[in-house]
Amino acid sequence: MEKIVSLAKRRGFVYPSSEIYGGFSGFWDFGPLGVELKNNLKSIWWEEFVQSHDEIFGLDSSIIMNPKIWEASGHTGSGFTDPLRECKNCHHRFRSDDLKTLACPDCGGQLTEEKKFNILVKTYIGPVEDKSALAYLRGETAQAIFVNFNNIIDSFHPQIPFGIAQIGKAFRNEITPGNFFFRSREFEQMELEYFIEPIEDEKMFKYWRSYCLGFLHGLGLNPDNLRFYDHPKEKLSHYSKGTTDIEYHFPFGWSELWGIARRGNYDLSKHTKYSGKKLIYKNPTTNQEIVPYVIEPSVGVDRLILAILIDAFFEEEKRVVLRLSPKLAPFKVAVFPLVSNKEELVEKARIVYQDLRKNLMVAWDDRGNIGKRYFAQDEIGTPWCVTIDYDTLKDDTVTIRDRDTTKQIREKVSSLNSYFQKKLED
Ligand code: ATP
């Protein structure tokens, strides 16, 4: 884990937030490579969960919504709390289900009785900071989907089953953020709410469980590092009729990566009750009205990025290599002139670079020797390096070096674009 943290910082994937002010616990900034990786992941998810499904609709809702939503969903009550104990001596606070001892882990002091600590992040909206102005940063993206249920039905008239999907920020005042950005206070979620006939609950739950696992395999994650964990009944969330987590084998143990929950009709019924607006689906042939059940696959973008980095990290005798799937890699190609002090080589390399970057994220490097440049690209997961050398000036071919095999081939400059497009499609 330390090696991942250090690589992430050194090479510009992830920085501690507010670092020059000593940081801010539970918050992180994604650097130039991190933002590329994240954008790639989000667009693959969107392709697989929205673009390729006729019956799934995208949404991008506001982060701050009418606070009644969070009352209706149960988030302001006991449904969104962590168990908290405080040390009577040093006043440090801990999530009691994380504690391995009954004494304070920091000073050995006595701990208070367990209290319920609500993790919704509060704010005030409007010019007066009193109770009536209290609002919340969303604790999950899902509720925005439920409250837009009628809008989607009215605009698109979908037939059941259909889904609404959203990628966006969520905020939780976690008592113990940690394990790098595994548990943060600000993070992004990729959530789908899939509305179904109640009778389909079991079948659709199984379908989405395996669909999500297949998605992770498709990203290149090692199947041995993934497993299903079915929540026992007593641990289920207030709304859930059954939840399976896909867990990843992090260096700190097996932990939740993706939650797939059977939420029944809890949310739509609650919002109907609290808003006074009927959230129902009317069967167009029978005219029968039902409150659909919902299956919710919900995964954290950041948490998945952490799993991807860990899974891709390999130390070999001479190099560190991130074996990222090319679809995810921040840069697809790096272009080098063999040496930086030969004008014709640099000029030609610049032309190749400018041409490739019309379609792809391409890195440029002309520092140090070529071997070092290859290793620097391996460490950030760039799948291919293109070197412009003296032969290029004669026959217009370049060397392409493959990250994983380190094998080199020669290819015509004129066919580089189609060569990489083909590789990426494969
Ligand atoms: P945990 O048990 O780890 O607190 P949870 O069961 O409360 O998570 P959900 O409410 O099911 O999590 O959220 C769905 C997904 O959002 C999780 O599977 C995880 O990937 C991500 N997630 C939840 N909380 C955090 C967090 N604090 N930091 C980063 N990602 C998170």
Side-chain angles (χ1 to χ4, degrees):
M1 196 66 177
E2 276 160 30
K3 288 176 183 170
I4 303 279
V5 176
S6 128
L7 179 125
K9 165 102 203 290
R10 191 164 39 81
R11 299 304 309 270
F13 283 93
V14 180
Y15 305 120
S17 159
S18 327
E19 200 182 3
I20 61 166
Y21 286 95
F24 201 49
S25 173
F27 296 89
W28 300 90
D29 294 341
F30 282 76
L33 299 196
V35 68
E36 294 299 330
L37 179 54
K38 230 181 176 193
N39 286 344
N40 293 339
L41 175 62
K42 289 192 280 187
S43 80
I44 298 170
W45 186 90
W46 199 260
E47 272 168 34
E48 298 287 327
F49 282 81
V50 181
Q51 194 179 315
S52 61
H53 288 262
D54 293 341
E55 83 292 12
I56 300 182
F57 303 87
L59 184 74
D60 183 13
S61 74
S62 63
I63 286 175
I64 300 174
M65 301 184 286
N66 190 317
K68 280 197 196 130
I69 289 173
W70 304 104
E71 274 169 46
S73 65
H75 283 81
T76 54
S78 59
F80 204 54
T81 56
D82 279 340
L84 170 92
R85 282 176 199 267
E86 184 172 325
C87 173
K88 290 181 180 167
N89 181 39
C90 70
H91 299 289
H92 288 173
R93 292 178 153 197
F94 306 94
R95 234 180 106 151
S96 42
D97 54 351
D98 283 345
L99 283 172
K100 308 235 167 358
T101 66
L102 286 175
C104 170
D106 291 344
C107 75
Q110 201 188 358
L111 297 172
T112 57
E113 287 293 301
E114 187 173 288
K115 275 192 275 184
K116 284 192 164 177
F117 176 75
N118 194 291
I119 60 174
L120 274 179
V121 176
K122 299 178 185 69
T123 187
Y124 294 95
I125 297 299
V128 188
E129 286 191 8
D130 65 8
K131 218 173 160 214
S132 66
L134 183 65
Y136 306 95
L137 306 194
R138 67 182 174 209
E140 59 178 23
T141 58
Q143 294 309 320
I145 294 181
F146 297 123
V147 300
N148 274 292
F149 180 83
N150 281 355
N151 285 333
I152 301 293
I153 294 213
D154 292 347
S155 308
F156 299 93
H157 312 288
Q159 299 228 358
I160 216 163
F162 71 93
I164 307 175
Q166 161 152 254
I167 300 178
K169 292 264 185 179
F171 301 81
R172 297 182 185 180
N173 194 6
E174 298 278 0
I175 301 171
T176 42
N179 284 325
F180 200 13
F181 53 93
F182 173 84
R183 187 177 300 289
S184 322
R185 289 176 166 144
E186 172 177 343
F187 54 97
E188 263 181 301
Q189 292 186 309
M190 303 192 282
E191 291 196 304
L192 166 67
E193 303 300 327
Y194 200 73
F195 300 99
I196 55 172
E197 297 270 5
I199 198 166
E200 304 268 83
D201 196 34
E202 184 82 36
K203 189 179 103 190
M204 288 297 185
F205 181 54
K206 287 196 179 134
Y207 171 80
W208 284 108
R209 272 169 41 133
S210 52
Y211 191 90
C212 296
L213 187 65
F215 177 83
L216 295 172
H217 291 165
L219 294 179
L221 291 184
N222 178 353
D224 293 342
N225 288 334
L226 294 164
R227 71 176 187 195
F228 284 129
Y229 167 74
D230 298 321
H231 285 222
K233 281 228 157 52
E234 64 277 11
K235 280 198 145 184
L236 291 179
S237 316
H238 55 291
Y239 53 77
S240 180
K241 297 188 176 321
T243 295
T244 296
D245 291 340
I246 301 178
E247 294 188 327
Y248 180 79
H249 197 191
F250 288 95
F252 44 87
W254 287 96
S255 305
E256 173 177 343
L257 180 60
W258 201 325
I260 301 134
R262 291 160 68 181
R263 291 173 85 121
N265 61 16
Y266 174 86
D267 304 272
L268 291 180
S269 305
K270 281 285 204 155
H271 287 303
T272 296
K273 189 169 155 208
Y274 277 68
S275 68
K277 303 281 182 318
K278 261 179 152 184
L279 302 177
I280 43 150
Y281 171 80
K282 195 169 174 185
N283 185 310
T285 30
T286 63
N287 273 342
Q288 194 203 3
E289 291 185 344
I290 59 159
V291 185
Y293 274 26
V294 72
I295 307 290
E296 176 195 80
S298 167
V299 62
V301 178
D302 317 66
R303 202 174 276 190
L304 182 47
I305 293 280
L306 184 60
I308 287 167
L309 286 175
I310 290 166
D311 215 76
F313 182 89
F314 288 86
E315 280 181 306
E316 295 176 359
E317 203 184 319
K318 287 202 185 126
R319 61 174 189 159
V320 165
V321 52
L322 273 190
R323 294 185 191 275
L324 292 172
S325 147
K327 288 181 290 190
L328 286 169
F331 292 114
K332 311 303 177 199
V333 182
V335 173
F336 315 145
L338 182 66
V339 288
S340 59
N341 55 2
K342 271 270 170 272
E343 214 175 295
E344 310 97 282
L345 288 184
V346 177
E347 232 170 64
K348 180 70 186 171
R350 276 269 159 200
I351 292 170
V352 171
Y353 170 65
Q354 295 295 7
D355 188 47
L356 286 174
R357 67 201 288 230
K358 285 181 198 148
N359 302 311
L360 299 169
M361 279 300 293
V362 185
W364 168 267
D365 194 0
D366 58 8
R367 295 162 309 164
N369 71 45
I370 216 81
K372 281 203 179 130
R373 289 186 231 162
Y374 284 149
F375 289 156
Q377 293 300 323
D378 290 343
E379 205 185 34
I380 58 170
T382 310
W384 302 287
C385 294
V386 168
T387 303
I388 282 73
D389 56 22
Y390 294 104
D391 285 345
T392 315
L393 302 178
K394 284 187 239 148
D395 61 8
D396 220 34
T397 64
V398 293
T399 304
I400 303 175
R401 184 258 196 189
D402 182 280
R403 175 195 72 198
D404 294 340
T405 61
T406 72
K407 291 225 168 75
Q408 304 190 0
I409 57 159
R410 282 200 85 84
E411 191 69 40
K412 277 259 177 223
V413 168
S414 56
S415 54
L416 281 180
N417 265 310
S418 56
Y419 177 86
F420 291 124
Q421 286 308 339
K422 168 104 188 26
K423 279 279 188 190
L424 283 164
E425 276 160 28
D426 289 350

